[in-house]
Amino acid sequence: MKGETSWISHCFDDMSKEIGGLDSFSELIDEGNKETTAVSVDLILPDDLLERILAFLPIASIFRASSVCRRWHEIVSSKRFLWNFSNVLSQKPWYFMFTSSDEPVGYAYDPILRKWYGIELPCIQTPNWFIASSCGLVCFMDNDSRSELHVCNPVTKHCKKLEDPPGLKFPDYSALSISVNRTSHNYTVSVVKSKQVPGNFFQWDLSIHIYDSETRMWATSLTEVLTGWRGGDESVICDGILYFLIYSTGGGTPENRHGLVTYSLSGRSSPLLKSFIPVPGPLTCGRLMNLKEKLVVVGGMGKQDRPDIIKGIGIWVLEGRNWNEVARMPHKYFQGFGELDDVFASSGTDDLIYIQSYGAPALLVFDMNQKLWKWAQKCPVSKKFPLQLFTGFCFEPRLEFAP
């Protein structure tokens, strides 16, 4: 498709053996079949220095570098290169945009090179699956039984299916999150399940289930009955704390329709509602994300007279138990989405936050450091019919993490 950069399967046999089962990597082909030759300085650089230089390239450029010559190919395919790459603090997060409501197909946006790449996601079967990401790994959970979970690296395509989590089958609401330890590469997956108590709309059974990749076991950490509140589909882990949104079932004021509760993954917590933190004002929806181990919420701000109708989008960071406003989307960008629903897709990591309307393939990027709003390069797909929906998620492209 015009405007798209494709990934073509390319096997690195040596690397697959060394790092334990990476089936294949992909070679990025970006500029046709132009002949590429190494610069003369390559002749005098020792391997270890060249490895360090290549490790600081954007990940898409690393794939191109592997096709320069045999020597570069062997360097990029080596286990030592992965070690050097792991010392690079961060790659800017990419954003994968689904372009079909039925098939898990789409494009990934690279904010460094400002290009879209056509990539295939492993494991996931439909775009409406639950998705969470951390440090290069992405966790998928099916939207039917909420018991089929996979953890994968979208770049290397290495994927692992987890055992079914304990607890209720077919809960009314579920929230998924994952947290990866950058040092040990171990990861934690949490699933928060919520189901209405039969015959009582105001009471909801809520349970928290935690998977530890080191022990490869699930544990049910908490079961509780909430009165006047239910769980939802938003959760995130920051610095060992699980945060998730709860929603009022008692028909309270608009300011109290949403709330935030916390659960410590390291020890026994008090009843959930004792950790209740009000959200920053009446919100039409809220999206939780971990930015450098800080909890950030991107929320739709409701109109004064119609709090269920969105009038703008704000960004807040949690400091202790208080919210500090970071930014509000300027009106010109808010208008740029066209018809923006009361809910929208938003995710982020490191210093970048992505915001996308469900009704259009336009993607807005906010830089937390520079406090700068910017449209992403136009996605190489257009809206084909009025009810076509778009959504997506962000992930950090890394080579060294495997489930």
Side-chain angles (χ1 to χ4, degrees):
M1 183 179 293
K2 185 178 180 181
E4 143 193 9
T5 301
S6 63
W7 296 78
I8 298 178
S9 177
H10 187 72
C11 185
F12 287 76
D13 292 328
D14 293 338
M15 178 182 261
S16 298
K17 295 174 183 176
E18 288 185 73
I19 63 177
L22 291 187
D23 294 332
S24 66
F25 272 75
S26 298
E27 177 185 353
L28 183 68
I29 305 299
D30 184 77
E31 297 177 9
N33 294 319
K34 295 181 181 179
E35 182 178 355
T36 307
T37 57
V39 293
S40 58
V41 70
D42 172 64
L43 301 175
I44 60 174
L45 285 177
D47 283 357
D48 59 344
L49 183 55
L50 186 56
E51 285 174 0
R52 295 182 184 183
I53 293 173
L54 293 177
F56 279 90
L57 290 175
I59 196 156
S61 300
I62 291 174
F63 284 107
R64 282 202 292 274
S66 70
S67 64
V68 168
C69 62
R70 180 182 297 274
R71 181 191 178 202
W72 285 29
H73 173 87
E74 291 175 350
I75 286 176
V76 172
S77 304
S78 70
K79 188 174 182 179
R80 191 169 65 178
F81 176 79
L82 283 188
W83 184 86
N84 281 314
F85 184 81
S86 67
N87 291 323
V88 177
L89 292 180
S90 175
Q91 291 274 335
K92 292 292 184 183
W94 288 8
Y95 188 86
F96 184 91
M97 183 185 297
F98 292 104
T99 55
S100 169
S101 301
D102 303 315
E103 300 293 330
V105 296
Y107 301 95
Y109 179 69
D110 177 354
I112 297 179
L113 300 179
R114 291 181 57 80
K115 292 184 178 181
W116 291 89
Y117 309 122
I119 68 174
E120 295 182 3
L121 295 175
C123 310
I124 185 171
Q125 296 178 16
T126 61
N128 70 343
W129 280 31
F130 293 86
I131 304 172
S133 69
S134 174
C135 293
L137 295 184
V138 178
C139 185
F140 300 116
M141 180 174 71
D142 78 291
N143 197 27
D144 295 323
S145 68
R146 321 283 173 89
S147 61
E148 181 180 344
L149 286 94
H150 302 262
V151 177
C152 79
N153 183 321
V155 176
T156 66
K157 303 296 191 292
H158 194 188
C159 190
K160 177 181 180 179
K161 186 179 186 299
L162 304 185
E163 296 291 329
D164 291 359
L168 297 167
K169 297 290 185 181
F170 302 97
D172 295 323
Y173 296 93
S174 299
L176 175 70
S177 55
I178 182 173
S179 177
V180 180
N181 186 306
R182 288 186 180 271
T183 303
S184 67
H185 292 199
N186 294 326
Y187 56 89
T188 299
V189 175
S190 76
V191 178
V192 181
K193 298 183 178 183
S194 184
K195 191 174 182 66
Q196 181 184 349
V197 173
N200 189 334
F201 180 75
F202 295 100
Q203 288 193 320
W204 290 72
D205 288 315
L206 186 142
S207 57
I208 299 175
H209 312 277
I210 307 295
Y211 177 84
D212 185 340
S213 68
E214 189 172 12
T215 63
R216 301 181 182 180
M217 295 180 61
W218 286 95
T220 299
S221 300
L222 177 142
T223 57
E224 195 170 311
V225 177
L226 300 183
T227 301
W229 297 91
R230 64 163 177 82
D233 56 6
E234 280 292 322
S235 69
V236 71
I237 299 172
C238 297
D239 198 23
I241 304 295
L242 171 64
Y243 297 88
F244 57 96
L245 289 179
I246 57 175
Y247 303 82
S248 173
T249 61
T253 63
E255 290 77 7
N256 296 322
R257 291 192 308 167
H258 301 78
L260 181 75
V261 290
T262 68
Y263 178 82
S264 174
L265 299 180
S266 60
R268 187 174 180 84
S269 297
S270 303
L272 285 175
L273 291 183
K274 286 191 175 182
S275 68
F276 183 91
I277 300 173
V279 296
L283 301 179
T284 62
C285 68
R287 302 288 177 251
L288 304 180
M289 55 201 73
N290 179 343
L291 271 64
K292 295 184 174 178
E293 300 306 323
K294 290 282 190 179
L295 176 67
V296 173
V297 62
V298 178
M301 299 180 294
K303 292 183 177 180
Q304 192 69 29
D305 55 337
R306 292 286 305 277
D308 55 332
I309 302 298
I310 192 170
K311 70 172 183 179
I313 295 176
I315 300 173
W316 297 266
V317 61
L318 186 65
E319 300 285 356
R321 295 180 58 85
N322 299 312
W323 295 102
N324 290 335
E325 185 173 312
V326 176
R328 294 192 182 192
M329 183 186 294
H331 190 63
K332 65 177 182 179
Y333 292 108
F334 186 73
Q335 284 185 316
F337 282 113
E339 293 185 10
L340 184 65
D341 200 350
D342 296 333
V343 293
F344 50 86
S346 182
S347 58
T349 190
D350 195 25
D351 294 318
L352 295 186
I353 294 175
Y354 293 98
I355 302 175
Q356 177 193 358
S357 166
Y358 287 146
L363 181 64
L364 188 62
V365 187
F366 179 72
D367 189 307
M368 290 282 285
N369 276 344
Q370 301 179 28
K371 302 296 187 289
L372 180 66
W373 300 88
K374 182 186 297 185
W375 289 110
Q377 197 76 6
K378 186 177 179 181
C379 183
V381 69
S382 57
K383 190 168 184 174
K384 296 179 180 178
F385 51 91
L387 297 181
Q388 184 176 2
L389 299 178
F390 301 88
T391 186
F393 65 95
C394 83
F395 66 94
E396 186 180 341
R398 305 293 301 188
L399 299 176
E400 73 277 22
F401 288 96

